[in-house]
Amino acid sequence: MTEKSNAPEKYNAAEVEPRWQSIWAERDIYRADDNSDKPKFFALEMFPYPSGRIHMGHVRNYAMGDVVARYKKAQGFEVLHPMGWDSFGMPAENAAIATGGHPKDWTYNNIDEMRAPMQRLGFALDWSREFATSDVAYYKEQQRIFLKFWEKGLVYRKTAKVNWDPVDNTVLANEQVIDGKGWRSGATVEQRDMDQWFYKITNYAEDLLEGLKGLDRWPEKVRTMQANWIGKSEGLQMRFELDNVSQIAVGQNDNLNALKEEAPINPTREEYIEFIQKALKSVPSYDDVDLNKVWESILNGVEIFTTRPDTLFGASFLALSPDHPVTKCMALNDSKFEDFRAECAKIGTSEEAISQAPKLGLDTGLRVKHPFIDGATLPVWVANFVLMGYGTGAVFGCPAHDQRDLDFARKYDLPVIPVVAPTEEKNKDSVHPSEGWGPEHNSTDLSTNALDPRLRGDGRNGGEIVEAYTGEGTLINSGFLNGLNKADGIAAATAKISEMGLGEAVTQYRLRDWGVSRQRYWGCPIPVIKCGACGSVPVPEDQLPVELPYDISFDKPGNPLDHHPTWKSEGVTCPTCGEAAERETDTLDTFGDSSWYFAAFGGSLSADGMDWDAASKWLPVDQYVGGVEHAVLHLLYARFFTRGLIDCGLLDLSHSKFGGEPFAGLFTQGMVTHATYALADEKVDKDKWVLPEDVDANDDGTFVHLPTGRPVLKGDIIKMSKSKKNVVDPDEIIKGYGADVARWFVLSDSPPERDVEWTESGVIGAWRFSKKVWSVVSDTTATHGPMAIASDASGDALELRKLAHRALEKLTAGIEAFRFNTSVAQIYELTNALSKYKGQDAARMEALGILIRAIAPFMPHLAEECWNQVGGEDLVYHAPWPTVDPKMLVDDTITMPLQVNGKRRSELNIPKDMPKDEIEALALADDAVLRSIGDATVRKVIVVPGRIVNIVAS
RNA sequence: GCGGGCGUGGUGGAAUUGGUAGACACGCAAGACUUAAAAUCUUGUUCCAGUAAUGGAGUGCGGGUUCGAUUCCCGCCGCCCGCACCA
């Protein structure tokens, strides 16, 4: 090679990258200005947990956000792109228990260790706004928020059945229990009754659901998952009056009936409770039973919830949950109920167990009155498929039109009464109304054998119902509902029940309130004082923060705050009455920490507090990027918190067209995967994985472990994980190839929402490309600056201009649409064209200027170095995004494909504005076209200007 | 079971108003340079037939709409993700 210019021959990332990073830092170019006149753009990636190492997933996540942040900056926005640490949580405590250190030291050491490689990646981050959620300043503000939420009625305390993780020794929210196991520990979750703090997320159930509709820049998948999680259903909540109550609470005795006769007329609730307590006073464990519900069931009837009141005439039983208060009450005095409850509990909570569990039932002997059929009663069963956690914990069973009810009815030989005749022809066979609409259904004896055969769908009437029919249809066998369709039937039945005073239309949500008490040390202390006289009292705001003590020990299981010799009670008095009191020792769920951190960035949170007005101005986050694993948990909590903060007057988002939404745009990126390799002759699963770099391929396609010579099998290509030994350390890649190469690789090839497979050859390809860009730049003798516009170009120069502007248009669209892989492809094309182009002229400089500014969001160090090399003004970071010249996108002559009967046979090079008839004439004269047509007759010629010509011949 | 998504060369993937299927990259092959290798550069690379020109087939499978379908519609098959006895 000969010397071509004054540029260094080789691009040395190890020298170039730190040099630019220190220039950026010195000039403080990434600091966001709260008072800028420019339109704002808030780019945010989900902040990391400081585990101690950054991994490739982080690199991909932050690289995507960085592309957006840098691109928006070049587009003229004032960009806020901050970084912080989600630093409270279990791993710090687990590490402390395992190694004898302190969670705080462990956490902050990790943060220091992770910050350095993150800075080596050269992200355009405003580090001046950095904080960790375990900083006292951060949790002080969070304690303020807790108290504000309390004032607003968004916080409450209650004893509730909670999910207890026996490994982490703490409570979990419903969202944190996955397949009956703790989301972090994987331990089977137990149910325990505990005193807990709750956030009233259900207040916003409707709003959180409604808000999803406006989030048009969120993935459909995430919106659907949240909507399903909120789980709205509209239906009828109604009571079935008990016909005989003697067995409730007293088993085989009937002194309760006697008591009922003693009951006062129109008693108050308290009188009811006192009354039933009297009845139960000989039973030791009645504390566990919700007596309100029991007594209401006795006096007013058993409450059920249904979305299908139109099928009430098809009801053949009522089913209670094993955990229903009435069931529990009966279990107190009758062991068969307790035995049944125990049997149900045995099934467990795992996904398979539940879905495969057989239907179990127990007849209580109670009967309820059918609301529409005078004199008819239905048996009341306890059934294991009825959940206490949804609706009222009781349902009515309509076997003909609900599969679970049908399974249950078949098992226990309960009647199956079809009441909906399918509308669709192909479903006609599934239900057999015998004649017309069927008889008026007013049979008072609903036992199977006594039923009019024309009401039966159990096979005794010629046609057996094999599958419950849940579709549209016409009501039959249904008295006053006969002939109505599903929707009208629901409306009519609901109206009738309301009129009878037995119930009303209600909306149910699956969403539960968010239990936030955690019996752990490393979290935000709940700012509450527990006073024997005054109960739970908020810590006055001027006494915040309630600070975590440093001197704690993990020598006992459980919560170190609870074991602390002084923290809980020494010098603690009740703010209300002044008497000695105790601190709340629970800490807040760490998901609360990540529910408002985006606001803290905008508000420049520091030891002096934060500026909520500034926070409001920066919100909503314009582009949020993170993993899809947070689709429900974090993203739902953050949406709730933002609404709460608005209602408390801390945030004002009245300027946002997204209402109370914190994240206007969301992108969920795919994972970084890598091949796994396992020793073929190793039996122990955890010992069989080997490092990919120690594996070599044999000529016959098998693999061998180099250090030991043992045979190796290639495993699945899966997410990088330490246990599978398929991790690649980003810092090693930075050292070997440079940060730009690591960034370029994770954005190339695969679409951002999909997984990208880490391969050695892919990294080398990215590395070669960076060298190629540098060689194109160093082959350039700068004749103009990189902002040149070669408006008088012709010939090859004009072709280069056209290619550059076309590439620019497409790559810009790619960034806008989060399709970075297509932007990367356009950058390749432009680079290839430039490396072939020989001219040292304005056209070269224009194309080069476009190229350098286009790669700047992806490979910022290389771009700065190139920009500097070709004489660009200032930093490329400050250079405006190049603009597309629309004239360069149109050609004077175009190539038009010629089709015969839809198959391409030839093409025409013609002026772009040639009239249709001339095109047609040329097409019909084309040799290849004539050959294809052969003997056939031309029937029709379709000319789509600028697109295609199709000749129809037969 | 319910909901969402996907199916294109040896591989990752392009083709976002129905208009040249396979851009770009990886891999592979051949060549140039080199004592040699690496690096770099050039060329080729959907499959089948043919030296070639060219012809035929082709976007999971089967139908349909259309001058024209990877794209729209109907019915299957397969894979992935989420939820899961939610009344």
Side-chain angles (χ1 to χ4, degrees):
Chain A
M1 256 194 207
T2 52
E3 291 294 318
K4 280 179 199 127
S5 70
N6 57 356
E9 279 300 332
K10 284 189 178 164
Y11 180 76
N12 180 4
E15 183 276 321
V16 171
E17 291 182 352
R19 176 155 47 79
W20 285 108
Q21 284 165 19
S22 56
I23 291 170
W24 296 335
E26 269 163 41
R27 295 185 51 182
D28 199 15
I29 56 173
Y30 302 129
R31 185 185 289 268
D33 180 1
D34 286 343
N35 302 309
S36 172
D37 295 333
K38 297 181 195 170
K40 68 99 185 176
F41 192 92
F42 190 172
L44 185 69
E45 300 93 55
M46 292 179 185
F47 66 162
Y49 178 79
S51 61
R53 299 213 150 262
I54 63 164
H55 52 72
M56 275 302 164
H58 290 129
V59 177
R60 195 172 191 216
N61 190 189
Y62 305 138
M64 286 180 195
D66 208 47
V67 167
V68 174
R70 289 176 181 272
Y71 166 73
K72 288 292 173 181
K73 160 73 182 172
Q75 292 260 320
F77 288 88
E78 183 67 30
V79 173
L80 172 59
H81 187 213
M83 182 56 68
W85 308 94
D86 189 13
S87 57
F88 268 141
M90 294 290 309
E93 285 190 56
N94 291 340
I97 292 164
T99 66
H102 193 282
K104 183 175 181 180
D105 302 335
W106 184 86
T107 300
Y108 283 87
N109 283 339
N110 283 350
I111 289 175
D112 288 339
E113 257 172 56
M114 288 173 77
R115 191 190 296 108
M118 206 125 98
Q119 289 179 334
R120 281 196 280 279
L121 281 159
F123 298 127
L125 292 166
D126 181 355
W127 286 100
S128 76
R129 296 175 189 247
E130 177 191 6
F131 58 76
T133 56
S134 55
D135 292 349
V136 177
Y138 190 86
Y139 70 70
K140 178 186 175 182
E141 198 64 29
Q142 185 153 308
Q143 290 170 346
R144 269 191 75 206
I145 293 170
F146 179 90
L147 297 178
K148 294 256 184 204
F149 275 23
W150 196 353
E151 262 171 50
K152 267 279 161 197
L154 295 174
V155 166
Y156 67 98
R157 186 177 179 78
K158 73 169 182 197
T159 301
K161 186 155 265 196
V162 294
N163 307 301
W164 178 260
D165 185 322
V167 168
D168 282 353
N169 277 317
T170 191
V171 164
L172 299 175
N174 290 337
E175 290 84 343
Q176 293 161 343
V177 179
I178 294 147
D179 297 347
K181 297 189 165 51
W183 73 290
R184 191 193 288 279
S185 71
T188 300
V189 167
E190 300 165 2
Q191 300 295 305
R192 282 199 190 177
D193 275 311
M194 290 186 73
D195 229 16
Q196 297 288 304
W197 289 96
F198 286 85
Y199 282 139
K200 214 164 171 23
I201 189 171
T202 53
N203 262 22
Y204 297 96
E206 185 62 37
D207 194 39
L208 288 167
L209 184 65
E210 199 59 25
L212 292 170
K213 290 179 189 156
L215 294 173
D216 53 351
R217 286 174 48 228
W218 277 44
E220 191 59 44
K221 180 185 178 176
V222 175
R223 292 198 282 170
T224 309
M225 282 169 70
Q226 291 214 356
N228 289 344
W229 189 263
I230 294 166
K232 179 178 180 173
S233 65
E234 288 174 5
L236 172 65
Q237 189 163 318
M238 64 170 290
R239 297 187 307 275
F240 279 79
E241 287 177 15
L242 279 162
D243 195 45
N244 53 335
V245 297
S246 61
Q247 290 176 52
I248 301 179
V250 291
Q252 302 307 311
N253 305 319
D254 61 358
N255 51 2
L256 185 69
N257 250 354
L259 276 171
K260 192 182 172 190
E261 279 158 29
E262 291 173 21
I265 315 291
N266 297 326
T268 64
R269 173 172 304 232
E270 286 69 27
E271 283 168 331
Y272 287 161
I273 299 297
E274 195 186 330
F275 187 64
I276 196 161
Q277 277 174 346
K278 201 168 134 199
L280 289 168
K281 64 175 182 276
S282 59
V283 182
S285 56
Y286 70 84
D287 283 354
D288 191 35
V289 179
D290 183 346
L291 297 172
N292 271 311
K293 277 271 163 357
V294 176
W295 197 241
E296 275 170 20
S297 300
I298 291 172
L299 286 206
N300 300 328
V302 179
E303 287 233 285
I304 62 104
F305 175 72
T306 178
T307 55
R308 293 296 304 276
D310 56 320
T311 63
L312 270 167
F313 279 95
S316 53
F317 62 95
L318 205 77
L320 304 176
S321 164
D323 293 321
H324 193 280
V326 169
T327 314
K328 281 178 164 184
C329 195
M330 289 188 288
L332 293 176
N333 264 3
D334 191 336
S335 63
K336 77 178 176 193
F337 289 98
E338 197 49 56
D339 295 346
F340 182 76
R341 277 164 49 78
E343 200 180 340
C344 293
K346 257 193 270 174
I347 289 167
T349 46
S350 81
E351 167 188 325
E352 293 93 334
I354 288 169
S355 64
Q356 286 164 18
K359 298 274 181 289
L360 292 177
L362 178 65
D363 191 349
T364 62
L366 296 169
R367 294 194 80 86
V368 288
K369 296 174 188 161
H370 193 289
F372 295 149
I373 308 171
D374 239 7
T377 60
L378 306 173
V380 179
W381 286 65
V382 181
N384 66 335
F385 67 90
V386 183
L387 307 172
M388 195 55 219
Y390 186 77
T392 60
V395 298
F396 82 81
C398 177
H401 304 291
D402 183 290
Q403 192 58 45
R404 292 158 304 175
D405 297 346
L406 184 62
D407 296 343
F408 192 78
R410 291 285 183 239
K411 178 159 179 181
Y412 294 105
D413 196 28
L414 294 159
V416 178
I417 307 166
V419 289
V420 183
T423 314
E424 295 155 53
E425 194 62 36
K426 63 176 178 169
N427 289 318
K428 280 267 161 68
D429 289 344
S430 62
V431 168
H432 291 264
S434 43
E435 295 153 23
W437 295 133
E440 275 294 302
H441 176 22
N442 51 14
S443 321
T444 52
D445 188 347
L446 295 182
S447 59
T448 304
N449 290 321
L451 271 182
D452 182 328
R454 288 174 303 165
L455 288 172
R456 298 201 306 228
D458 60 0
R460 280 168 260 206
N461 180 27
E464 183 172 16
I465 294 175
V466 179
E467 212 172 284
Y469 180 74
T470 55
E472 285 296 332
T474 306
L475 292 167
I476 54 169
N477 295 340
S478 289
F480 72 97
L481 298 173
N482 275 345
L484 298 177
N485 65 22
K486 186 169 161 181
D488 293 343
I490 289 171
T494 304
K496 181 78 175 176
I497 292 289
S498 303
E499 190 189 305
M500 293 164 75
L502 288 176
E504 56 189 359
V506 297
T507 302
Q508 281 281 346
Y509 298 92
R510 208 185 78 115
L511 185 69
R512 301 268 83 94
D513 277 335
W514 175 15
V516 291
S517 293
R518 295 292 179 274
Q519 293 68 42
R520 305 302 315 177
Y521 164 70
W522 195 231
C524 173
I526 297 175
V528 167
I529 289 172
K530 296 192 282 192
C531 171
C534 311
S536 294
V537 180
V539 173
E541 208 178 311
D542 59 9
Q543 288 174 29
L544 297 181
V546 175
E547 223 174 308
L548 286 171
Y550 183 80
D551 56 332
I552 39 107
S553 82
F554 289 97
D555 48 11
K556 282 187 263 185
N559 184 355
L561 288 177
D562 202 32
H563 310 148
H564 192 276
T566 56
W567 187 80
K568 184 160 117 182
S569 51
E570 194 166 293
V572 178
T573 54
C574 172
T576 307
C577 68
E579 292 297 309
E582 283 196 345
R583 289 197 186 286
E584 171 64 79
T585 58
D586 287 353
T587 50
L588 289 170
D589 181 3
T590 56
F591 271 101
D593 305 345
S594 50
S595 296
W596 64 281
Y597 76 107
F598 38 91
F601 284 128
S604 299
L605 180 123
S606 73
D608 305 326
M610 68 174 276
D611 178 350
W612 282 96
D613 291 340
S616 297
K617 269 201 267 180
W618 281 109
L619 290 176
V621 173
D622 296 280
Q623 184 63 59
Y624 198 33
V625 187
V628 73
E629 66 272 20
H630 294 109
V632 175
L633 290 163
H634 161 58
L635 289 166
L636 188 64
Y637 292 147
R639 295 180 63 226
F640 155 65
F641 245 69
T642 307
R643 285 165 168 76
L645 291 167
I646 292 169
D647 288 349
C648 291
L650 287 170
L651 281 178
D652 176 6
L653 297 193
S654 53
H655 61 276
S656 168
K657 65 171 177 168
F658 294 94
E661 293 294 336
F663 312 120
L666 172 70
F667 188 85
T668 52
Q669 101 273 4
M671 298 179 299
V672 181
T673 61
H674 195 193
T676 51
Y677 295 92
L679 293 168
D681 54 359
E682 176 60 60
K683 297 272 190 305
V684 183
D685 190 69
K686 70 176 172 47
D687 292 339
K688 70 181 187 181
W689 304 103
V690 294
L691 297 169
E693 68 234 41
D694 289 342
V695 174
D696 201 25
N698 295 318
D699 292 339
D700 60 359
T702 60
F703 297 93
V704 63
H705 187 229
L706 291 173
T708 63
R710 293 165 78 183
V712 164
L713 292 174
K714 191 173 181 195
D716 292 337
I717 296 163
I718 52 172
K719 182 181 180 178
M720 288 186 179
S721 117
K722 256 191 208 164
S723 63
K724 299 291 192 312
K725 296 228 173 95
N726 65 337
V727 289
V728 174
D729 180 3
D731 223 26
E732 292 299 314
I733 301 299
I734 297 171
K735 281 189 196 127
Y737 299 96
D740 285 337
V741 169
R743 297 170 54 135
W744 183 254
F745 174 80
V746 293
L747 297 174
S748 306
D749 287 350
S750 286
E753 70 277 12
R754 275 191 231 172
D755 292 350
V756 62
E757 187 194 347
W758 183 272
T759 59
E760 186 72 10
S761 58
V763 179
I764 291 170
W767 178 64
R768 270 191 221 140
F769 175 70
S770 71
K771 291 202 298 187
K772 185 167 186 174
V773 171
W774 182 247
S775 88
V776 166
V777 169
S778 39
D779 280 347
T780 298
T781 316
T783 51
H784 305 65
M787 306 278 275
I789 292 173
S791 46
D792 57 351
S794 61
D796 284 352
L798 182 61
E799 289 310 307
L800 179 66
R801 284 202 78 204
K802 282 182 177 169
L803 189 141
H805 281 269
R806 265 181 208 140
L808 173 61
E809 192 206 20
K810 287 186 190 162
L811 78 89
T812 305
I815 294 174
E816 293 276 359
F818 249 88
R819 295 189 345 245
F820 305 129
N821 55 321
T822 64
S823 301
V824 163
Q826 293 303 317
I827 291 173
Y828 272 115
E829 264 193 274
L830 178 53
T831 308
N832 290 342
L834 262 164
S835 84
K836 291 199 176 84
Y837 186 73
K838 298 298 171 215
Q840 295 287 349
D841 52 14
R844 183 189 187 86
M845 293 310 297
E846 182 181 1
L848 209 48
I850 289 172
L851 175 67
I852 294 168
R853 280 176 287 168
I855 64 169
F858 300 86
M859 298 196 283
H861 313 83
L862 176 63
E864 290 291 4
E865 189 72 2
C866 293
W867 189 252
N868 186 52
Q869 172 66 22
V870 299
E873 261 183 56
D874 198 5
L875 297 170
V876 74
Y877 178 69
H878 287 125
W881 196 248
T883 44
V884 176
D885 180 351
K887 288 203 289 293
M888 291 297 104
L889 303 181
V890 288
D891 274 314
D892 295 338
T893 63
I894 55 172
T895 302
M896 227 185 200
L898 303 181
Q899 291 183 337
V900 177
N901 291 333
K903 294 202 192 268
R904 184 181 173 279
R905 296 297 177 187
S906 184
E907 59 187 32
L908 282 178
N909 281 303
I910 51 168
K912 75 166 193 298
D913 47 6
M914 182 181 269
K916 264 188 171 185
D917 51 341
E918 283 179 43
I919 296 173
E920 188 174 329
L922 281 176
L924 289 171
D926 186 275
D927 284 346
V929 169
L930 288 174
R931 222 180 313 130
S932 291
I933 294 171
D935 300 337
T937 314
V938 174
R939 303 287 175 194
K940 200 170 170 186
V941 179
I942 291 135
V943 179
V944 185
R947 287 278 192 194
I948 205 164
V949 180
N950 192 13
I951 294 156
V952 187
S954 57

